[in-house]
Amino acid sequence: MIDAVQIGDNHYDQEADQVIRACLDLDKPTSFFLYAGAGSGKTRSLVNAIDHVRRTAGRRLSLSCQKVGVITYTNAARDEIKHRLEYDPRVEVSTIHAFAWSLISGHNDDIREWVKVTLKARIEELTAQIAGTSNKTTKTYQDRVRSLESRQRRLGLLDGVKKFVYSPTGDNRTRDALNHSEVIAITSEFLTMKPTLQRLLVSLHPILLVDESQDTNRHLLEALLAVQTAYSNSFCLGLLGDTMQRIYTDGKVDLGQGLVGWALPKKVMNHRCPHRIIKLINRVRDEVDGQAQMGRKDKPEGHIRLFALPQAGIDKATAEEAIARKMADISGDDAWVGPGRQFKTLTLEHHMAAIRFGFAAMFEPLYRQDRLQTSLLEGSSAPLRFFSKEVLPAVKALKADDQFALAALVRDISPLLAPKHLRAKNDGQMAQLRDAKNATDALLAVFSDGHEPTFREVLEVVGKSGLFAIPEVLLPFTTPDEPARFDSAETATAFEAYDKSETSAWREMLDTKFEQIDAYDRYVSGSSPFGTHQGVKGLEFPRVMVVISDEEARGFLFSYDKLFGVKAKSDTDRTNEASGKETSIDRTRRLFYVTCSRAEKSLAIVCYTANPEALAQTVVARDWFAANEVEIMRP
């Protein structure tokens, strides 16, 4: 039986829910930004708010052919909300990419013109770069030439595209397909510049709720805010989220500021974490915005420990096993050491997971490119899905001599056995089958005698045989490079200076071992033993081990030693701080907050650092941890 204390905690934030319900009045809509910290029941508030609209204005929505729009960040969140709302047709729940495409789909002439202008600008830029290059044998030069040829080819075919297509979950590799970043960019620009599209949005969705708004692409969010400003009397834009939980670099940094006339409800009850963990995360964010949560009265105190270990000379796997045993003793919870690994290990940075799971070499070049990051982390990148969902299954079937699986795969997706090709060659179907057999034999041959091929080697074989359709971005790499010629190693190094183009990123990735694709695929699908802040946002686990290491994270954008006071702020940090810009400490703090706030019972924080003693002293001095909650471990 639920007692009065539980009932009180369940309804502690009901005032915020009442404010939101009042905002969702179709006759007098008011836009709102709901602050909802970790474990505050944000999704529950969203569903309850929509239920209120269904009860009070459901018939009106049906008669006017309108729907409540809901934008979620992941497919899993979309499906969960749909399920809770009983798949009500008056509510349109979609991911950000699906929502964007629903607005611009069918605007083919406008899309064609946008793509044409974008391509011409990039072609002009590449042409100038190529013309200014004296040495034409470098990889950078060849990449630019191939990139130019690819864009010229697409531009030449553009007028022949009558209808553009896009799939939020598909590979989008045909010449009439738009990629993920293009859909967001086009929608953002059209919503900002085209009043007719603004009117269309408002007429379709008089209420639009954006979940995880702090991580919604800033250009699209700014476009939605422009619509709200223009139609504030007839359009309710509801933003739900927490700026401390912003984890993607393309989110809106100053979200929540300057919202004149908006309602600003808050949810302060944390229904997930025990009291000790709530105290920690409150201290972590206290220096930023002072937002503090309170815990449920029926929650236990909980257990936290920070273990400081030297970066060098230690077997990390062994150390982390020992820490799990210590946590079992500290918490009295034998599940820390039980069979089946009943605790979740979270890394604060993707590089750490990539290194530990064995796909860092292929991961790092792509992660450096802002435009490639989101699809890389979501597992929606067409080139990577080409390798993981087509080539990898074929290689596995070939190595296992599983002719049935191989035949099914080739029959379903290989252009060599496409029905239209077989119908066109009634007298040559056996030849088509032989071509398919030769293509699979060639793919297997590249792995013969224990050879571990690169992605590039595999791509060249597939490109030559035509076994699978190759995504546009990879087409320039299906043939070998021209041999580079230099007078000296110094000259070669000078001409091979790092080029920050996406083409160069793909080249660097393709030169790494193909075998990594299996680990990468398991990582992005959630089946690896490691999780990160992105992968676990919104999730919760009874036992959490957070692993921190600046060395493993490669110091890219983040610094845990700076956050914990082991290292001083850099000049860049001070400059950014003085000008109100984000620092590496800001980014690191948010990631630390997200991972620590996943724990429902106990939390172990494992810090690999060059100075364990200094780290231990500073976290105690800051009152993040008590002295008896910090332990220095040596090899």
Side-chain angles (χ1 to χ4, degrees):
M1 180 179 295
I2 300 177
D3 60 25
V5 170
Q6 289 175 299
I7 293 174
D9 283 346
N10 290 343
H11 296 282
Y12 186 85
D13 286 320
Q14 62 182 357
E15 181 179 348
D17 291 335
Q18 291 169 355
V19 170
I20 294 173
R21 286 197 294 270
C23 291
L24 304 182
D25 184 341
L26 293 180
D27 293 317
K28 296 174 60 179
T30 301
S31 294
F32 67 89
F33 175 51
L34 170 67
Y35 157 71
S40 61
K42 171 171 54 65
T43 302
R44 183 169 62 250
S45 289
L46 187 151
V47 170
N48 290 342
I50 297 173
D51 274 335
H52 171 74
V53 177
R54 293 163 70 196
R55 291 192 303 271
T56 59
R59 177 173 173 77
R60 177 173 171 179
L61 289 171
S62 298
L63 292 175
S64 60
C65 297
Q66 293 178 311
K67 297 182 179 183
V68 175
V70 182
I71 297 175
T72 65
Y73 208 84
T74 65
N75 291 324
R78 176 201 62 195
D79 295 342
E80 173 65 18
I81 293 171
K82 282 185 174 182
H83 174 71
R84 292 199 199 184
L85 294 172
E86 303 170 314
Y87 302 94
D88 192 323
R90 296 167 297 187
V91 184
E92 185 70 33
V93 188
S94 58
T95 62
I96 188 69
H97 290 92
F99 168 79
W101 178 242
S102 71
L103 290 179
I104 63 173
S105 175
H107 294 252
N108 295 299
D109 291 339
D110 291 335
I111 292 173
R112 184 182 298 103
E113 185 59 27
W114 186 94
V115 174
K116 187 175 294 185
V117 170
T118 303
L119 283 173
K120 286 181 177 179
R122 182 56 177 152
I123 287 171
E124 183 177 341
E125 180 183 358
L126 286 167
T127 301
Q129 290 173 338
I130 290 169
T133 303
S134 58
N135 188 312
K136 296 179 170 49
T137 60
T138 65
K139 290 180 180 179
T140 296
Y141 176 82
Q142 293 180 29
D143 284 347
R144 286 172 175 167
V145 169
R146 290 179 173 186
S147 182
L148 176 62
E149 291 171 348
S150 175
R151 284 166 170 78
Q152 288 174 329
R153 182 168 58 251
R154 187 182 184 193
L155 181 62
L157 296 171
L158 204 55
D159 287 335
V161 176
K162 302 304 179 185
K163 179 181 179 181
F164 288 91
V165 299
Y166 170 75
S167 170
T169 58
D171 293 335
N172 302 302
R173 66 177 60 174
T174 57
R175 67 185 181 92
D176 56 353
L178 300 172
N179 63 42
H180 300 304
S181 59
E182 286 176 332
V183 167
I184 295 297
I186 294 170
T187 305
S188 302
E189 184 171 318
F190 284 11
L191 266 181
T192 303
M193 306 300 296
K194 296 181 181 296
T196 53
L197 194 62
Q198 293 185 355
R199 289 195 294 271
L200 174 64
L201 169 58
V202 174
S203 65
L204 290 174
H205 303 298
I207 297 173
L208 179 63
L209 308 177
V210 184
D211 195 15
E212 303 288 3
S213 57
Q214 74 277 356
D215 275 321
T216 302
N217 178 274
R218 64 180 175 276
H219 301 296
L220 185 56
L221 194 54
E222 286 167 356
L224 293 175
L225 290 169
V227 175
Q228 190 279 333
T229 299
Y231 291 89
S232 58
N233 294 326
S234 56
F235 177 60
C236 170
L237 178 61
L239 307 180
L240 299 89
D242 175 14
T243 52
M244 182 57 75
Q245 297 187 67
R246 180 172 64 84
I247 53 181
Y248 284 108
T249 57
D250 63 354
K252 185 170 171 58
V253 175
D254 57 350
L255 181 65
Q257 299 178 18
L259 300 178
V260 179
W262 286 50
L264 302 172
K266 294 182 179 181
K267 292 173 68 71
V268 297
M269 175 67 73
N270 184 318
H271 299 273
R272 174 192 301 149
C273 302
H275 294 277
R276 182 61 190 92
I277 294 176
I278 293 174
K279 181 182 176 182
L280 171 64
I281 61 178
N282 282 345
R283 290 290 297 131
V284 169
R285 75 180 299 164
D286 182 57
E287 300 170 18
V288 179
D289 57 16
Q291 298 283 6
Q293 291 183 295
M294 61 182 296
R296 293 179 61 94
K297 296 182 179 66
D298 56 359
K299 282 286 187 178
E301 182 65 16
H303 303 273
I304 66 171
R305 288 294 187 276
L306 184 144
F307 300 90
L309 301 89
Q311 187 71 254
I314 193 165
D315 184 324
K316 294 179 180 178
T318 300
E320 288 162 24
E321 289 177 4
I323 288 170
R325 290 193 295 271
K326 287 177 177 287
M327 289 303 298
D329 293 337
I330 291 166
S331 63
D333 183 356
D334 289 339
W336 272 99
V337 291
R341 192 181 177 89
Q342 298 178 53
F343 64 91
K344 187 71 173 180
T345 298
L346 303 181
T347 61
L348 296 194
E349 226 289 318
H350 285 286
H351 286 283
M352 294 176 62
I355 290 169
R356 286 166 172 250
F357 209 33
F359 60 91
M362 64 159 283
F363 180 86
E364 291 178 5
L366 304 180
Y367 191 56
R368 286 196 294 260
Q369 296 293 318
D370 288 343
R371 279 169 50 87
L372 301 178
Q373 273 189 21
T374 300
S375 61
L376 171 68
L377 302 179
E378 291 179 344
S380 60
S381 166
L384 295 181
R385 287 178 62 85
F386 161 76
F387 285 117
S388 65
K389 303 304 182 186
E390 297 182 22
V391 180
L392 179 62
V395 170
K396 287 183 174 180
L398 284 164
K399 288 184 174 181
D401 196 25
D402 188 341
Q403 296 299 320
F404 179 80
L406 180 64
L409 179 71
V410 174
R411 182 183 64 245
D412 290 343
I413 63 177
S414 175
L416 297 178
L417 296 184
K420 64 179 182 180
H421 292 161
L422 294 175
R423 285 194 298 267
K425 297 186 177 182
N426 290 327
D427 58 344
Q429 290 189 7
M430 290 305 296
Q432 292 291 103
L433 293 172
R434 283 195 299 273
D435 288 344
K437 176 65 166 58
N438 292 336
T440 57
D441 288 346
L443 179 59
L444 180 60
V446 79
F447 291 87
S448 63
D449 299 325
H451 180 57
E452 297 178 356
T454 63
F455 286 94
R456 182 71 177 272
E457 290 177 277
V458 172
L459 180 66
E460 289 179 1
V461 169
V462 174
K464 185 175 180 180
S465 68
L467 180 60
F468 300 120
I470 295 174
E472 178 75 19
V473 72
L474 297 180
L475 284 175
F477 301 103
T478 54
T479 56
D481 292 330
E482 292 292 329
R485 296 182 300 277
F486 299 102
D487 298 329
S488 67
E490 289 76 16
T491 306
T493 302
F495 279 107
E496 290 302 328
Y498 179 69
D499 178 26
K500 295 182 179 179
S501 73
E502 292 176 24
T503 305
S504 294
W506 283 114
R507 169 191 287 282
E508 190 175 344
M509 173 267 170
L510 290 170
D511 284 338
T512 68
K513 297 295 185 182
F514 174 81
E515 62 184 14
Q516 299 170 96
I517 193 64
D518 193 16
Y520 165 78
D521 187 50
R522 282 184 282 152
Y523 174 69
V524 295
S525 65
S527 60
S528 84
F530 304 107
T532 60
H533 48 282
Q534 283 93 339
V536 300
K537 188 169 64 173
L539 301 180
E540 53 196 32
F541 311 94
R543 293 156 292 278
V544 171
M545 180 183 291
V546 176
V547 180
I548 294 171
S549 170
D550 277 350
E551 183 178 76
E552 288 186 67
R554 304 292 178 89
F556 188 71
L557 295 178
F558 311 102
S559 175
Y560 310 107
D561 279 347
K562 289 180 184 178
L563 175 65
F564 291 126
V566 177
K567 284 185 177 180
K569 295 178 182 178
S570 67
D571 291 340
T572 301
D573 289 325
R574 292 192 183 91
T575 300
N576 288 339
E577 193 173 58
S579 59
K581 295 180 180 179
E582 184 173 84
T583 68
S584 61
I585 298 174
D586 296 329
R587 289 187 289 267
T588 309
R589 187 190 305 272
R590 291 198 305 271
L591 306 190
F592 187 64
Y593 178 92
V594 169
T595 48
C596 290
S597 62
R598 302 306 97 193
E600 297 175 290
K601 293 182 178 180
S602 53
L603 169 68
I605 301 166
V606 183
C607 302
Y608 296 100
T609 175
N611 195 337
E613 288 79 9
L615 188 149
Q617 290 171 5
T618 55
V619 296
V620 172
R622 288 183 176 184
D623 194 30
W624 286 20
F625 297 86
N628 64 352
E629 293 174 331
V630 178
E631 180 176 343
I632 298 173
M633 295 180 64
R634 291 293 181 184

